[in-house]
């Protein structure tokens, strides 16, 4: 006898008669079932809470490929000092910078993904797709027409031939210098700061990239400009809101080219501020307006150009030396071309098309007598225009009329996209991501290529 009581295990086939086999007493085994037992709601709630606690503490998440040994190495053995305890709250670093912490994550009940609690954001689409490469290249080639080499006013380089001739004839081995060659122009892009310009972010970024890739300029500078209905125009150099006077981008060398990029929907473009801005720029260098709206929509903006024919004033001449005349089709009897008077100067209006930019480049670098057909504005007469009706918030009683006007102007693609936007928060970033993923043809223009193609 060893102190353990003997017990005869019953034989299943003997009706309870012992067979003499001795087994130790212990807990009863779990009943075997074909499938896993269904957990109760308390067990499910505990599992969700433990999963969220595990994720917040930054511990590794077990996948199907992980083994228990890999989990032990990543989080430490149970009860070891390296493994954090579930009974103690995790050490959360204090945020002394005043910024809000990132949004928390919660496990997805239908899968292994995690749900972000915060502003809904769609996955970002890959930029630089092949659909934009050819149009951007065509625009860069058009801007390359402005590439010219001129003598530098401040840089010099060794003139080997003049130095050798001086040594042979004068027997004076003194180096001779000549002005170094440099690129003729710098480009300044003045981007309108109106709220409607958010939908043109891809077009403005493409224009800036094409200007840099063209190799035609010593430098390409981008600055935002605010043209208010009252007051003077102001420049903004950074997102912090630092303002500056437009005179800061003007220099005495007159070697800068200015492109004002806008959709013309701000009311300030039908105010004296627009006249002052274009006049100051056009007096010191070649200046043009890049109108982002297609030609058939410009009559609904504050900048409605006139069909015209412009004559070059010489290489790098400012706008006050440009000639202005009616287009080949004759003047419009309903909108006659304004006459140039003292204090007024023509400003060409371009589109994001290679042919339009190339025609303006010919006027900038061409000699007198070169003519090109381009729409034009007359700085000094813009304040006599009518502000764009699109920015006027309709009253509640006029809401149905506003919707009716939209359907008369929008394409069928734009109508379908507007219907889908009824369930989307009014955020430009979210709307733009939704458009790119679901209806890429419902952009500001008819198609992603139409605003760039010739």
């Amino acid at each position: 006898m060893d102190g353990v009581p003997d017990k005869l295990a019953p034989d299943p086939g003997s009706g309870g008669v012992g067979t003499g086999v001795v087994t130790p007493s212990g807990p009863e085994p779990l009943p075997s079932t074909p499938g896993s037992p269904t957990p109760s709601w308390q067990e499910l709630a505990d599992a969700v809470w433990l999963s969220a606690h595990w994720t917040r503490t930054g511990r590794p998440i077990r996948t199907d490929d992980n083994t228990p040994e890999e989990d032990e190495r990543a989080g430490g053995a149970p009860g070891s000092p390296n493994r954090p305890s579930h009974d103690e709250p995790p050490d959360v670093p204090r945020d002394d910078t005043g910024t809000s912490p990132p949004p928390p994550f919660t496990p997805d009940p239908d899968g292994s993904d995690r749900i972000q609690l915060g502003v809904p954001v769609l996955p970002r689409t890959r930029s630089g797709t092949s659909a934009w490469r050819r149009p951007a290249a065509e625009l860069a080639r058009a801007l390359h027409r402005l590439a010219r080499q001129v003598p530098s006013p401040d840089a010099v380089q060794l003139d080997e031939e003049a130095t050798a001739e001086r040594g042979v004839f004068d027997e004076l081995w003194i180096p001779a210098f000549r002005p170094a060659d440099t690129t003729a122009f710098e480009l300044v892009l003045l981007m309108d700061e109106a709220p409607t310009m958010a939908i043109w972010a891809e077009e403005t970024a493409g224009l800036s990239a094409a200007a840099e890739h063209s190799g035609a300029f010593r430098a390409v500078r981008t600055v935002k400009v605010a043209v208010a209905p009252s007051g003077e125009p102001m420049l903004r150099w950074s997102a912090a809101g630092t303002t500056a006077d437009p005179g800061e981008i003007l220099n005495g060398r007159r070697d800068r080219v200015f492109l004002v990029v806008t959709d013309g929907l701000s009311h300030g473009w039908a105010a004296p501020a627009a006249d002052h801005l274009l006049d100051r720029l056009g007096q010191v260098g070649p200046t043009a307006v890049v109108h982002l709206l297609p030609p058939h929509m410009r009559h609904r903006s504050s900048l409605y150009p006139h069909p015209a024919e412009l004559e070059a004033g010489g290489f790098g001449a400012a706008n006050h030396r440009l000639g202005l005349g009616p287009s080949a089709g004759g003047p419009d009897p309903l909108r006659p071309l304004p006459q140039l008077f003292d204090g007024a100067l023509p400003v060409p209006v371009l589109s994001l098309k290679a042919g339009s930019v190339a025609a303006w480049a010919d006027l900038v670098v061409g000699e007198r007598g070169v003519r090109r057909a381009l729409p034009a504005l007359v700085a000094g007469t813009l304040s006599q225009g009518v502000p764009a009706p699109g920015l006027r918030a309709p009253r509640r009683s006029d809401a149905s009329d506003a919707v009716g006007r939209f359907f008369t102007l929008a394409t069928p693609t734009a109508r379908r996209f507007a219907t889908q936007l009824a369930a989307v928060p009014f955020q430009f970033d979210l709307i733009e991501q939704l458009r790119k993923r679901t209806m890429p043809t419902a952009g500001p223009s008819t198609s992603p290529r139409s605003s760039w193609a010739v």
Side-chain angles (χ1 to χ4, degrees):
M1 299 295 290
D2 56 359
V4 179
D6 295 339
K7 184 177 181 180
L8 296 178
D11 187 359
S14 60
V17 180
T19 60
V21 180
V22 179
T23 59
S25 61
E28 297 181 4
L30 294 176
S32 60
T33 56
S36 300
T38 303
S40 64
W41 68 269
Q42 293 93 340
E43 294 174 336
L44 290 176
D46 292 343
V48 171
W49 184 90
L50 288 174
S51 177
H53 179 74
W54 185 280
T55 305
R56 286 196 298 269
T57 55
R59 303 177 186 179
I61 301 176
R62 176 181 295 179
T63 60
D64 296 337
D65 298 334
N66 289 353
T67 61
E69 290 77 11
E70 294 176 348
D71 292 340
E72 295 295 337
R73 288 195 299 268
S80 63
N82 297 331
R83 189 180 186 91
S85 175
H86 291 279
D87 299 333
E88 299 178 359
D91 296 333
V92 180
R94 297 181 59 185
D95 189 3
D96 299 332
T97 59
T99 59
S100 58
F105 291 89
T106 181
D108 185 0
D110 296 332
S112 60
D113 298 334
R114 292 189 297 173
I115 304 173
Q116 182 179 9
L117 301 180
V119 180
V121 178
L122 294 176
R124 294 186 177 274
T125 57
R126 185 175 59 181
S127 59
T129 56
S130 59
W132 291 93
R133 292 175 183 173
R134 181 179 176 184
E138 294 174 352
L139 189 62
R141 284 195 293 268
L143 289 171
H144 188 71
R145 292 172 176 257
L146 296 171
R148 295 292 186 277
Q149 295 292 319
V150 296
S152 174
D154 49 11
V156 295
Q157 63 183 7
L158 178 65
D159 192 338
E160 298 178 355
E161 295 182 0
T163 301
E165 291 177 358
R166 180 181 297 178
V168 172
F169 294 104
D170 301 337
E171 297 183 356
L172 298 175
W173 292 100
I174 301 176
F177 299 91
R178 60 182 176 85
D181 293 335
T182 184
T183 306
F185 301 113
E186 293 181 359
L187 177 63
V188 180
L189 294 173
L190 292 90
M191 302 293 182
D192 191 4
E193 204 183 32
T196 55
M197 288 293 292
I199 65 175
W200 303 99
E202 192 169 2
E203 283 74 10
T204 55
L207 174 61
S208 179
E212 294 178 355
H213 296 164
S214 67
F217 309 102
R218 293 198 307 271
V220 177
R221 303 180 182 182
T222 303
V223 60
K224 291 186 177 182
V225 59
V227 184
S230 60
E232 295 295 326
M234 299 298 295
L235 302 181
R236 298 190 187 275
W237 291 103
S238 62
T242 304
T243 59
D245 187 84
E248 293 191 8
I249 60 176
L250 308 179
N251 61 354
R253 295 182 179 178
R254 299 177 180 269
D255 58 351
R256 288 183 176 174
V257 178
F258 305 97
L259 285 178
V260 182
V261 184
T262 178
D263 57 4
L265 294 178
S266 174
H267 289 177
W269 293 108
D275 289 323
H276 297 167
L277 175 65
L278 297 181
D279 180 74
R280 295 188 66 178
L281 299 178
Q283 293 290 344
V284 298
T287 303
V289 173
V290 179
H291 209 310
L292 298 175
L293 288 182
H296 68 277
M297 295 290 294
R298 293 174 182 173
H299 68 282
R300 299 187 59 84
S301 70
S302 301
L303 289 177
Y304 188 17
H306 298 267
E309 188 176 73
L310 298 170
E311 182 178 354
F315 178 80
N319 286 39
H320 65 87
R321 296 172 57 182
L322 291 177
L324 178 65
S327 62
D332 187 355
L334 301 179
R335 295 182 67 245
L337 190 66
Q339 298 294 327
L340 295 180
F341 53 89
D342 293 340
L345 54 97
V347 179
V349 177
L350 315 179
S351 61
L352 286 180
K353 294 182 180 180
S356 177
V357 176
W360 172 69
D362 293 341
L363 294 176
V364 174
V365 299
E367 300 297 333
R368 289 181 176 271
V370 175
R371 296 183 179 183
R372 294 292 184 270
L374 282 173
L377 300 168
V378 178
T381 64
L382 299 181
S383 58
Q384 303 174 6
V386 180
L391 290 182
R392 299 173 184 174
R395 296 186 298 271
R396 181 174 299 181
S397 58
D398 299 337
S400 58
D401 296 338
V403 173
R405 288 194 300 270
F406 168 77
F407 277 99
T408 58
L409 297 172
T411 61
T413 303
R415 297 176 188 175
R416 292 194 302 270
F417 183 61
T419 304
Q420 295 182 4
L421 292 182
V424 177
F426 192 77
Q427 298 178 4
F428 275 123
D429 295 340
L430 184 61
I431 292 174
E432 185 66 11
Q433 292 183 46
L434 179 64
R435 182 191 66 81
K436 291 179 180 179
R437 292 181 63 87
T438 60
M439 301 183 68
T441 58
S445 301
T446 304
S447 64
R449 182 182 170 85
S450 62
S451 61
W452 294 78
V454 178

